[in-house]
């Protein structure tokens, strides 16, 4: 029996599906001029369809990272642009420098910044904000606020050299002036003692040698009046005993301001030596015929460099 035909105006089931499949599989054909004009006219007659094809893409939610990643503001991807900055007034050598600096940077990093501004090496800086700024802590940790004044103390290497050079020159001039002076052993006040000659009981000397103090007193020497004198160093008591025939003076080492000496002309293996007991040279206590090998040891002991035996 033949299948019943579909009434006019009706399609058999499955016809739409087959048509869609054929349309999908058929290769696209370029439109000719007439077809292109017809398509353009249809679009003009149906503005709703045209608007539907030109709708903008939906906006990304504010917190959507995908949308943010597609926008570049020219800053580092590592978040450098997000670092919180504070305005600082860096004051050094009576000069103010206005600087913006990251709040989470350390004191050590701040010193590097100061170095770039002032030329002051970090090792020579004292950076202060409510006390000394710790190198390992951040500005946030020490509660630095915007507008804070950062005080810097220190000198550049050139400043140090400029200060020390005149001092060194003055010292050299002083030494040159001293070298022009008449030797002490030729001055009248000393000449009258030295003219007596070397004491018979003077201790032996060793020219060009340096020795520690002996364990016995230094004896066989004259004082300014020409009397015999001996020196005893009481290290355990921190005292120098100056003994004469009449008495013994027990002097604390710390009370002796200075020790000076000079070789005796014609007897360079012996020295004349003075202990400064007061604020001026008038307080010098002179001793003559000190063996040269003990001169440095005496100075070191009296002025604070102890000799151990």
């Amino acid at each position: 029996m033949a299948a019943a035909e579909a009434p006019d105006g009706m399609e058999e089931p499955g016809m739409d599906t087959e048509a869609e499949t054929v349309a999908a599989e058929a290769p696209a054909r370029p439109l000719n001029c007439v077809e292109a004009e017809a398509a353009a006219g249809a679009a003009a007659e149906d503005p709703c369809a045209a608007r539907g094809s030109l709708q903008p893409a939906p906006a990304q939610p504010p917190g959507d990272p995908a949308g943010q990643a597609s926008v570049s503001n020219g800053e580092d991807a590592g978040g450098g642009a997000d670092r919180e900055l504070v305005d600082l007034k860096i004051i050094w050598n009576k000069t103010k420098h206005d600087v913006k600096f990251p709040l989470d940077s350390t004191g050590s990093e701040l010193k590097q910044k100061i170095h770039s501004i002032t030329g002051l090496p970090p090792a020579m800086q004292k950076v202060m904000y409510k006390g000394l700024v710790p190198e390992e802590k951040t500005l946030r940790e020490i509660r630095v606020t915007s507008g804070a004044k950062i005080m810097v103390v220190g000198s550049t290497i050139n400043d140090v050299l400029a200060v020390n050079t005149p001092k060194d020159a003055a010292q050299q001039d002083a030494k040159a002036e001293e070298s022009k002076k008449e030797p002490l052993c030729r001055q009248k006040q000393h000449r009258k003692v030295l003219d007596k000659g070397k004491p018979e009981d003077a201790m032996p000397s060793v020219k060009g040698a340096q020795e520690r103090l002996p364990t016995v007193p230094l004896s066989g020497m004259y004082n300014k009046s020409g009397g015999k004198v001996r020196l005893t160093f009481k290290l355990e008591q921190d005292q120098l005993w100056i003994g004469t025939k009449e008495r013994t003076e027990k002097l604390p080492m710390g009370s002796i301001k200075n020790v000076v000496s000079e070789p005796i002309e014609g007897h360079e293996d012996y020295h004349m030596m003075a202990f400064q007991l007061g604020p001026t040279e008038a307080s010098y206590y002179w001793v003559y015929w000190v063996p040269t090998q003990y001169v440095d040891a005496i100075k070191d002991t009296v002025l604070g460099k102890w000799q151990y035996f």
Side-chain angles (χ1 to χ4, degrees):
M1 180 183 295
E5 294 182 359
D8 292 341
M10 296 183 63
E11 296 180 352
E12 294 182 4
M15 291 181 65
D16 293 341
T17 303
E18 292 176 359
E20 290 170 2
T21 302
V22 172
E25 292 178 353
R29 178 177 59 82
L31 299 178
N32 56 35
C33 297
V34 175
E35 291 171 335
E37 290 179 0
E45 291 175 0
D46 190 0
C48 293
R51 286 197 303 270
S53 64
L54 298 175
Q55 287 181 356
Q60 295 288 346
D64 186 358
Q68 293 177 357
S70 64
V71 179
S72 173
N73 58 8
E75 300 291 346
D76 290 340
D82 297 332
R83 297 184 72 182
E84 184 177 354
L85 302 178
V86 287
D87 293 316
L88 303 177
K89 289 187 180 296
I90 296 176
I91 304 173
W92 173 71
N93 202 20
K94 298 182 180 179
T95 303
K96 293 182 181 180
H97 303 272
D98 293 324
V99 175
K100 287 185 180 292
F101 199 70
L103 191 58
D104 291 311
S105 294
T106 63
S108 179
E109 292 170 325
L110 179 59
K111 283 190 171 184
Q112 293 294 338
K113 181 65 174 178
I114 294 171
H115 179 213
S116 69
I117 297 172
T118 65
L120 186 62
M124 302 180 72
Q125 296 177 21
K126 283 188 179 179
V127 182
M128 290 174 287
Y129 173 75
K130 297 181 180 179
L132 202 62
V133 173
E135 290 193 357
E136 70 282 359
K137 290 190 176 182
T138 66
L139 303 191
R140 187 186 299 277
E141 289 175 322
I142 61 175
R143 299 182 180 180
V144 173
T145 57
S146 190
K149 293 182 180 180
I150 306 296
M151 304 298 297
V152 181
V153 178
S155 300
T156 64
I157 295 176
N158 289 337
D159 292 337
V160 173
L161 293 176
V163 170
N164 287 341
T165 300
K167 181 179 179 181
D168 294 340
Q171 289 177 344
Q172 292 176 357
D173 291 343
K175 288 181 179 179
E177 193 66 26
E178 287 180 2
S179 64
K180 296 178 183 178
K181 291 181 180 179
E182 183 182 22
L184 293 172
C185 60
R186 294 183 187 177
Q187 295 179 11
K188 184 177 180 180
Q189 58 175 330
H190 303 299
R191 192 72 259 169
K192 64 180 182 180
V193 179
L194 295 174
D195 284 346
K196 294 178 65 173
K198 184 175 72 174
E200 293 181 0
D201 58 347
M203 297 181 69
S205 64
V206 183
K207 188 176 181 179
Q210 292 184 358
E211 297 181 7
R212 293 185 174 185
L213 292 175
T215 55
V216 297
L218 295 178
S219 58
M221 300 172 291
Y222 290 139
N223 60 18
K224 193 172 181 179
S225 62
K228 289 292 186 68
V229 66
R230 64 182 178 275
L231 302 177
T232 306
F233 297 88
K234 295 289 186 178
L235 302 184
E236 66 281 0
Q237 300 175 34
D238 193 24
Q239 292 181 346
L240 168 62
W241 292 7
I242 301 178
T244 63
K245 185 177 180 180
E246 294 79 18
R247 64 182 183 276
T248 298
E249 294 285 348
K250 300 180 179 181
L251 305 173
M253 297 283 192
S255 68
I256 301 174
K257 311 299 182 185
N258 197 14
V259 180
V260 297
S261 69
E262 182 183 289
I264 298 174
E265 195 173 43
H267 300 273
E268 283 74 14
D269 49 346
Y270 288 92
H271 278 232
M272 50 187 293
M273 176 176 287
F275 300 96
Q276 185 176 342
L277 307 182
T280 66
E281 294 184 5
S283 64
Y284 280 179
Y285 186 96
W286 285 98
V287 178
Y288 304 87
W289 302 100
V290 178
T292 187
Q293 69 268 25
Y294 299 130
V295 169
D296 288 340
I298 293 173
K299 291 180 178 179
D300 290 346
T301 301
V302 171
L303 299 177
K305 297 180 181 179
W306 292 97
Q307 306 292 313
Y308 296 98
F309 305 95

